[in-house]
């Protein structure tokens, strides 16, 4: 039997090879490190996982598509963006994961997101593989007509790679209901098929699921509540800092407020707002979802309780809970030290990989409950899978039913991560628990299906 340290050195060797074979993809390296650094106990304990080639296959996407996306702006000028779809792993079901439209998107970013998605989707217990896509297109400041032409051009290539049984994209940063509508319309036109299960996050009148927009934020708060319960506490009366002001942040604030916590911040790339009375969601939704504006407008219109801090980071505001809901690597070591100094009890990731590895380490050392995104923010993709189920059955469920299923899924993910961490001598370590539990499910399916 191989020891954990022998196994760890094999995994370290593989990590060096991953860096070598995938140059200039630091986010993908980071995501691979984060997973492979926690797998030694399970690989050492279960010899079938040490089978040559298993983990090597897991870190190599099944397929990667990159394509040109030409479109015309409102002045008639031709613009050229780059489109991506990384179909990472389909052992558990069709590739599933969002599309991100943001100028920071490149192949390495999409690979990190796709890799995380494999484990996240496995943890939901549902039949979905892992994938991710997007473009370096920036929808900010673009007219609806420009966004529509971009989406149509993007889908004119993407349509040949996706399908309800093949690959099912959804939203992510920069891709919400408006973009999914334009993408679906073009898919339908090109294929001449009403194939509702090809995309999730659709509008409610045409195949979308109730509670899908809320699901990632709601799910993250339910996960944070479950972590707090383990410590004998609930969310009532706790102060929470939330970063971001998109879909995830908005519905995180909504659920926190519903459960009696006081969510006092939100942010965007220009800075953050702190509102000691708690964020007024109607105002925030009006500014972000209707006007597509910036958070400084919130402070301007809210009155005395709120102020805008240009360029600042929400982590400097004292809080019991921190829910990073913006983007990768937005909470670093210094931020973690500040949160700890201010007595934070739990950090739960609504965004994908928002906490740097050094910050995660610091928080865990300080005894802060830390919920990694692949467990804590799995509610979004879980409800996407429920949307697919409703589409296949040509039916739609009530909001209450979807919410109940979401709550059950989040509780079960929490329990799985918690129990798995204990089983592998890492009590309270949700990172290890999530990685190992997600890995076991995917690895078992891959082993059963042979070398493909
Ligand atoms: N983009 C979301 C995520 O990071 C949701 C993906 C989906 O619904 O397919 O999990």
């Amino acid at each position: 039997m191989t020891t954990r340290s022998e196994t760890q050195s094999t995994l370290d060797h593989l990590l060096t090879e991953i860096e070598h074979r995938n140059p200039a993809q630091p986010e993908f390296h980071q995501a691979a490190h984060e997973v492979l650094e926690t797998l030694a106990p399970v690989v050492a304990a279960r010899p079938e996982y040490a089978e040559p080639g298993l983990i090597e296959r897991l870190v190599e996407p099944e397929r990667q598509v990159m394509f040109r996306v030409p479109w015309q702006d409102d002045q008639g000028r031709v613009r050229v963006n780059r489109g991506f779809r990384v179909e990472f792993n389909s052992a558990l079901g069709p590739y599933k994961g969002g599309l991100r439209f943001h100028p920071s998107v490149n192949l390495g970013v999409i690979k990190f997101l796709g890799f995380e998605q494999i484990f996240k989707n496995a943890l939901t217990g549902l039949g979905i593989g892992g994938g991710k896509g997007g473009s370096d297109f920036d929808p900010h400041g673009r007219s609806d007509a420009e966004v529509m032409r971009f989406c149509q051009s993007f889908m004119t290539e993407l349509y040949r790679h996706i399908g309800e049984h093949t690959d099912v994209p959804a939203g992510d940063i920069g891709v919400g209901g408006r973009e999914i509508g334009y993408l679906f319309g073009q898919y339908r036109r090109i294929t001449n098929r009403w194939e509702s299960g090809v995309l999730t996050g659709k509008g409610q009148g045409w195949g979308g699921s109730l509670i899908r927009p809320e699901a990632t934020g709601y799910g993250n708060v339910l996960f944070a509540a479950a972590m707090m319960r383990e410590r004998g506490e609930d969310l009532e009366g706790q102060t929470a800092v939330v970063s971001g002001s998109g879909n995830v942040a908005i519905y995180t604030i909504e659920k926190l407020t519903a459960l009696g916590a006081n969510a006092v911040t939100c942010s965007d790339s220009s800075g953050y707002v702190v509102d000691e009375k708690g964020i007024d969601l109607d105002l925030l939704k009006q500014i972000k979802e209707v006007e597509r504006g910036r958070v400084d407008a919130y402070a301007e219109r809210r009155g005395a309780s709120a102020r805008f801090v240009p360029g600042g980071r929400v982590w400097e505001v004292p809080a019991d809970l921190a829910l990073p809901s913006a983007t990768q690597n937005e909470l670093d070591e210094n931020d973690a030290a500040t949160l700890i100094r201010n007595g934070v009890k739990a950090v739960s990731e609504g965004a994908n990989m928002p906490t740097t590895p050094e910050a995660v380490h610091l928080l865990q050392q300080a005894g802060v409950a830390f919920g990694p995104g692949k467990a804590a923010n799995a509610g979004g993709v879980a409800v996407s899978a429920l949307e697919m189920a409703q589409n296949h059955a040509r039916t739609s469920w009530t909001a209450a039913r979807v919410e109940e299923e979401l709550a059950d899924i989040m509780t079960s993910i929490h329990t799985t991560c918690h129990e798995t961490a204990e089983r592998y001598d890492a009590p309270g370590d949700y990172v290890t628990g999530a990685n190992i539990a997600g890995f076991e499910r995917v690895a078992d399916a891959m082993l059963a299906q042979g070398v493909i």
Side-chain angles (χ1 to χ4, degrees):
M1 171 144 167
T2 19
T3 64
R4 281 188 188 183
S5 67
E6 280 164 356
T7 309
Q8 191 55 62
S9 74
T10 312
L11 292 170
D12 288 345
H13 180 73
L14 181 55
L15 280 166
T16 313
E17 215 172 278
I18 290 170
E19 286 176 17
H20 192 70
R21 293 189 71 197
N22 302 276
Q25 297 183 352
E27 293 87 359
F28 176 55
H29 303 163
Q30 185 182 332
H33 267 270
E34 199 244 12
V35 172
L36 267 53
E37 274 163 8
T38 58
L39 294 185
V42 69
V43 178
R46 297 184 53 184
E48 66 271 30
Y49 294 151
E51 185 174 291
L54 173 68
I55 301 180
E56 284 84 345
R57 283 191 288 140
L58 189 62
V59 297
E60 185 69 20
E62 289 176 16
R63 188 175 300 105
Q64 307 179 58
V65 190
M66 270 172 78
F67 50 95
R68 182 173 70 203
V69 189
W71 57 283
Q72 265 181 313
D73 67 19
D74 286 343
Q75 285 68 46
R77 211 177 120 196
V78 174
R79 306 272 182 160
V80 180
N81 285 100
R82 191 170 287 173
F84 303 88
R85 187 73 186 167
V86 172
E87 299 180 331
F88 226 119
N89 193 298
S90 60
L92 294 175
Y95 309 105
K96 183 81 196 84
L99 297 170
R100 176 176 292 191
F101 292 170
H102 191 269
S104 65
V105 163
N106 56 44
L107 184 60
V109 167
I110 298 299
K111 279 175 67 180
F112 118 63
L113 291 162
F115 187 64
E116 292 251 300
Q117 202 82 43
I118 303 171
F119 303 93
K120 182 194 312 199
N121 294 3
L123 282 171
T124 65
L126 303 166
I128 40 180
K132 202 88 184 190
S135 173
D136 56 1
F137 171 72
D138 186 359
H140 278 120
R142 292 284 164 208
S143 67
D144 282 354
E146 289 177 318
V147 170
M148 182 179 76
R149 287 194 293 274
F150 175 81
C151 288
Q152 290 175 339
S153 180
F154 185 85
M155 185 53 86
T156 300
E157 172 61 32
L158 187 69
Y159 88 94
R160 66 188 90 243
H161 308 290
I162 62 176
E164 62 177 329
H165 300 296
T166 311
D167 184 357
V168 182
D172 195 82
I173 294 171
V175 178
R178 173 183 61 170
E179 290 75 15
I180 294 293
Y182 296 147
L183 291 163
F184 186 79
Q186 185 73 350
Y187 183 83
R188 185 167 62 76
R189 185 176 192 194
I190 294 174
T191 61
N192 192 30
R193 279 163 66 89
W194 181 272
E195 189 185 334
S196 46
V198 70
L199 290 171
T200 60
K202 298 181 294 294
Q204 245 130 66
W206 45 278
S209 175
L210 288 163
I211 308 296
R212 175 63 192 88
E214 293 88 345
T216 311
Y218 280 16
N220 188 25
V221 176
L222 296 175
F223 194 88
M227 291 198 298
M228 290 292 276
R229 257 196 309 280
E230 282 299 321
R231 304 161 66 98
E233 294 195 60
D234 61 23
L235 299 188
E236 185 74 44
Q238 312 277 2
T239 300
V241 285
V242 177
S243 62
S245 50
N247 168 271
V248 179
I250 286 174
Y251 292 104
T252 297
I253 294 169
E254 188 162 287
K255 196 58 159 184
L256 282 167
T257 313
L259 296 181
N262 191 26
V264 293
T265 62
C266 63
S267 68
D268 60 24
S269 56
S270 66
Y272 75 86
V273 163
V274 56
D275 186 339
E276 65 202 32
K277 281 202 197 147
I279 297 291
D280 175 340
L281 263 186
D282 289 339
L283 179 57
L284 185 62
K285 282 184 185 170
Q286 167 67 24
I287 290 167
K288 297 303 296 190
E289 291 179 346
V290 181
E291 300 168 23
R292 296 183 189 273
R294 313 289 292 171
V295 295
D296 56 348
Y298 175 95
E300 255 166 52
R301 278 147 68 175
R302 172 72 162 150
S305 69
R307 77 196 152 86
F308 175 65
V309 183
R313 289 153 89 88
V314 296
W315 320 122
E316 64 202 34
V317 176
D320 305 301
L321 306 169
L323 298 104
S325 310
T327 195
Q328 66 265 17
N329 294 328
E330 55 161 317
L331 194 169
D332 67 16
E333 227 171 337
N334 291 330
D335 303 318
T338 310
L339 286 168
I340 293 165
R341 216 177 314 116
N342 288 331
V344 75
K345 298 170 190 168
V347 175
S348 203
E349 296 188 319
N352 292 314
M353 209 169 74
T355 317
T356 66
E358 298 77 16
V360 175
H361 187 68
L362 219 59
L363 291 164
Q364 288 183 324
Q365 294 283 98
V368 176
F370 177 78
K374 57 172 83 69
N377 73 37
V381 77
V383 174
S384 274
L386 303 182
E387 182 170 324
M388 291 160 71
Q390 292 168 73
N391 295 156
H392 286 297
R394 296 185 181 277
T395 186
S396 54
W397 301 346
T398 62
R401 172 161 180 198
V402 180
E403 248 202 278
E404 207 174 295
E405 300 246 2
L406 170 64
D408 286 350
I409 292 167
M410 295 316 297
T411 307
S412 131
I413 294 175
H414 175 270
T415 307
T416 303
C417 295
H418 197 262
E419 289 178 357
T420 307
E422 290 206 331
R423 190 151 38 95
Y424 287 98
D425 310 322
D429 178 351
Y430 291 97
V431 175
T432 297
N435 289 343
I436 293 183
F439 169 78
E440 285 181 318
R441 190 165 173 236
V442 180
D444 290 345
M446 288 175 71
L447 288 171
Q449 293 171 28
V451 177
I452 50 154

